[in-house]
Amino acid sequence: MILVTGGLGMIGAHTARALTDLGHDVVVTSHRAADVPSFLEGRVTVESLDVTDRDAFLALGKQYEFTDVVHLAGSIPGDDPVAYFRTDLAGLLNALDAARAWRVRRFAVASSIGNYIGRPEIPWHEDLALPTADLPLLIIAFKKAVEPLTTHSLQDTGVQPVLLRIGSTWGPLMDPESPFNPMPPYISAVLRGETPPALYADDGGDCCYGPDAGRAIALLTVAESLPHTVYNVSSGRPVTNREFVEAVRQLRPDLPLSLLPGRRLGPGQDPYLDISRLTRDTGFTPGYDIAAAVADYAAWRADNNR
């Protein structure tokens, strides 16, 4: 039995689906979301859990015999950074406590592509030392702290940590007006028959479709052995706005979707994640290019609010 916290969120739900596709029994937890995505109905067990409640978290181990934990639960920062850090740190520490108490085989936890901010090399790969740098978001700051907290907490416990440096992921279940990724809002406008604001053709960078991210995390969770602790999770290739808009044009050929020339900030290259280690150790290759992802997402939106 595998536990996926935050398992009704975008990445968590796609991870749970991939794990069930691989034949594993899965328990997903959710604190606020109650709606089970159609692709998970009847396939997973859903438990309501506030991950900041240590006793409730540990009590799950009395109901189920967990072999692995995938900790993806997290909150959205508000005005108070300390309150945000306190909430997500409590959830992380409780998940680590549970993993140690249950003596699970593997503990996979969400980290971030943002950990590499400040490295000039492109693509970003796991052997790069993480720099000291100003970070643009509280979420990235916390994810950077997650890594040493996790590895030190699990040292000499027999529980293998897996740090998931997850790239720029989008797709079904993401907020269709998300401020964190321009793709869903752009497609939302097109589906409404509106002309979205023009994008710079050569801007872009790392891009991973939700089902691919979920499958990569699932493969890392159940692999017979993993020789590394840190893994990039993404598609392994950058996507430009030119490629994205060309794919969206197939949805509404009648709409004038224009592109601005070049890049907004001038010459250069947007970073993306190297997934050679992920592919080598799990056999993962992405199933969606940008055209297939856009088509799949539009089909999802036709029948689902999220």
Side-chain angles (χ1 to χ4, degrees):
M1 183 75 73
I2 298 174
L3 176 67
V4 180
T5 69
L8 296 185
M10 180 185 66
I11 296 176
H14 290 299
T15 299
R17 175 170 64 173
L19 287 167
T20 60
D21 287 345
L22 292 169
H24 295 272
D25 294 326
V26 177
V27 173
V28 301
T29 72
S30 178
H31 182 32
R32 294 183 178 85
D35 296 334
V36 178
S38 56
F39 57 76
L40 283 184
E41 288 181 355
R43 302 182 66 185
V44 299
T45 301
V46 181
E47 291 285 352
S48 178
L49 176 70
D50 177 355
V51 295
T52 66
D53 185 335
R54 181 177 182 275
D55 291 339
F57 206 136
L58 290 171
L60 285 177
K62 299 176 182 178
Q63 297 177 252
Y64 307 98
E65 189 172 339
F66 292 115
T67 59
D68 304 275
V69 173
V70 184
H71 183 55
L72 301 175
S75 62
I76 301 298
D79 294 332
D80 184 353
V82 172
Y84 163 69
F85 290 140
R86 181 180 292 114
T87 296
D88 278 30
L89 180 58
L92 172 66
L93 296 179
N94 290 340
L96 288 164
D97 255 352
R100 299 194 307 175
W102 303 336
R103 299 183 182 276
V104 300
R105 183 182 64 114
R106 192 166 287 158
F107 180 88
V109 63
S111 184
S112 171
I113 184 177
N115 289 8
Y116 293 109
I117 289 174
R119 296 295 317 204
E121 302 88 347
I122 297 175
W124 286 334
H125 58 83
E126 295 94 339
D127 289 328
L128 294 171
L130 301 185
T132 300
D134 290 332
L135 301 174
L137 298 171
L138 293 177
I139 292 175
I140 295 175
F142 179 73
K143 297 300 185 189
K144 199 165 186 176
V146 160
E147 297 195 2
L149 290 171
T150 297
T151 53
H152 282 281
S153 295
L154 297 180
Q155 190 170 3
D156 299 324
T157 64
V159 180
Q160 182 181 18
V162 182
L163 308 177
L164 308 165
R165 291 183 183 164
I166 301 172
S168 182
T169 303
W170 72 287
L173 298 181
M174 192 174 205
D175 178 359
E177 303 301 331
S178 172
F180 300 111
N181 189 300
M183 290 181 173
Y186 191 97
I187 294 173
S188 292
V190 169
L191 294 178
R192 292 192 299 265
E194 302 170 1
T195 301
L199 302 174
Y200 282 86
D202 296 331
D203 279 347
D206 192 83
C207 181
C208 186
Y209 195 50
D212 276 337
R215 186 163 55 87
I217 294 170
L219 290 171
L220 287 166
T221 302
V222 304
E224 184 175 345
S225 63
L226 291 175
H228 300 283
T229 297
V230 179
Y231 286 88
N232 289 340
V233 173
S234 195
S235 67
R237 68 173 300 272
V239 173
T240 65
N241 286 336
R242 181 183 290 103
E243 295 171 293
F244 170 63
V245 171
E246 184 57 38
V248 175
R249 282 197 178 105
Q250 306 309 307
L251 304 177
R252 289 293 303 268
D254 56 310
L255 287 180
L257 304 180
S258 59
L259 285 164
L260 301 171
R263 290 166 45 84
R264 183 173 64 89
L265 298 178
Q269 183 181 7
D270 291 304
Y272 66 98
L273 293 178
D274 181 305
I275 62 166
S276 300
R277 176 181 292 183
L278 169 67
T279 299
R280 182 175 61 251
D281 293 350
T282 69
F284 170 83
T285 57
Y288 294 85
D289 60 14
I290 189 60
V294 167
D296 185 79
Y297 181 70
W300 162 266
R301 288 288 303 276
D303 298 317
N304 299 272
N305 291 331
R306 291 172 61 207

